Amino acid sequence: MDGITKLDQTAPVALDEVMDEDALQTLFAKTSYQLRESRKSLLQRYEVDSEEALLERIVGGAIDTHPAYEHYLSARIIEQTRDQVRAELAAHIAAGAQAELPALSAHLNFKNQLESLYAARLAEPVRMAQDALLLSFDNGLLLEVRYFSRQEHSIIWCWGEAERRLDTAPGTPAGAAAAAVAATADGDPWQHFAAVLESLLADPLADPLAYIAAPLNAA
């Protein structure tokens, strides 16, 4: 969808599958390195060294909003995943298998919720790439989700030949409306995403609840 290159489709291995501390340390080092290099590669495409610098280039009009905004989100999500892995490692080392794992990654939370609440509607298991959630539903709806926070996200979907996007990218009417709603609405990120998802499952061609869904070719 949209020609956006998704990163490694393999989600980080759950740390609770590893029994000893040495294996945990090895897994952490490998996963952290892969995520760090993926983030660096994304930013290097735009000759910047931070997400903030990339966003400034988008806002200033130096580069096209799409797919740069999706790549901006990807970089932030990858770093968020690194924080998640780091926190899980620390928790396991401190408390072993009984550790209460932190919930820093919006994508990990969404994956768990989707598998629990939408199992009957999913056409295949949730795929969790480094930078996106890839969802397929029983009505033919396909989603590519990059969700860093309620203020910063992009959801691209297709249904048959129709392809649409809603996002909080700066500089577009749809983005401004989405950002305003996201910044003031009550509820947690999952509640927000679930409301959008319910709207799309009911009618993939309708605008999602409280958003303007712009066609992919709309600037």
Side-chain angles (χ1 to χ4, degrees), residues 39-214:
R39 173 181 173 273
K40 183 189 300 183
S41 177
L42 278 171
L43 295 175
Q44 286 177 342
R45 297 186 192 188
Y46 300 96
E47 300 180 342
V48 296
D49 58 7
S50 70
E51 292 84 354
E52 292 77 12
L54 176 53
L55 186 61
E56 285 181 6
R57 296 200 68 194
I58 296 171
V59 172
I63 53 179
D64 292 338
T65 299
H66 301 292
Y69 188 67
E70 280 70 30
H71 290 155
Y72 161 78
L73 291 173
S74 291
R76 299 209 69 180
I77 289 164
I78 289 169
E79 192 62 21
Q80 188 180 66
T81 303
R82 286 188 72 204
D83 290 341
Q84 177 76 42
V85 172
R86 186 181 297 112
E88 288 192 16
L89 176 69
H92 274 281
I93 291 176
Q98 304 304 315
E100 182 176 347
L101 300 183
L104 304 178
S105 166
H107 280 189
L108 183 58
N109 177 41
F110 286 9
K111 179 177 184 292
N112 293 338
Q113 296 277 16
L114 286 160
E115 291 174 341
S116 173
L117 301 175
Y118 289 88
R121 296 297 311 269
L122 288 165
E124 61 182 50
V126 176
R127 288 182 288 162
M128 186 174 175
Q130 286 184 357
D131 66 328
L133 284 176
L134 308 174
L135 311 176
S136 176
F137 291 92
D138 58 1
N139 65 346
L141 178 68
L142 304 175
L143 284 87
E144 182 176 304
V145 180
R146 287 174 175 81
Y147 201 109
F148 178 74
S149 70
R150 295 197 62 172
Q151 289 74 39
E152 295 189 308
H153 53 265
S154 172
I155 302 171
I156 299 171
W157 71 94
C158 68
W159 187 67
E161 295 183 356
E163 295 189 12
R164 299 194 178 207
R165 173 202 289 121
L166 68 86
D167 60 58
T168 54
T172 64
V181 171
T184 60
D186 293 330
D188 64 22
W190 166 252
Q191 291 174 336
H192 162 245
F193 176 70
V196 173
L197 179 58
E198 286 290 337
S199 176
L200 294 179
L201 287 172
D203 182 358
L205 298 181
D207 289 350
L209 184 64
Y211 277 90
I212 298 173

Side-chain angles (χ1 to χ4, degrees), residues 28-44:
F28 165 73
K30 179 180 179 180
T31 303
S32 181
Y33 173 79
Q34 291 175 338
L35 292 169
R36 184 187 69 195
E37 292 303 302
S38 294
R39 173 181 173 273
K40 183 189 300 183
S41 177
L42 278 171
L43 295 175
Q44 286 177 342

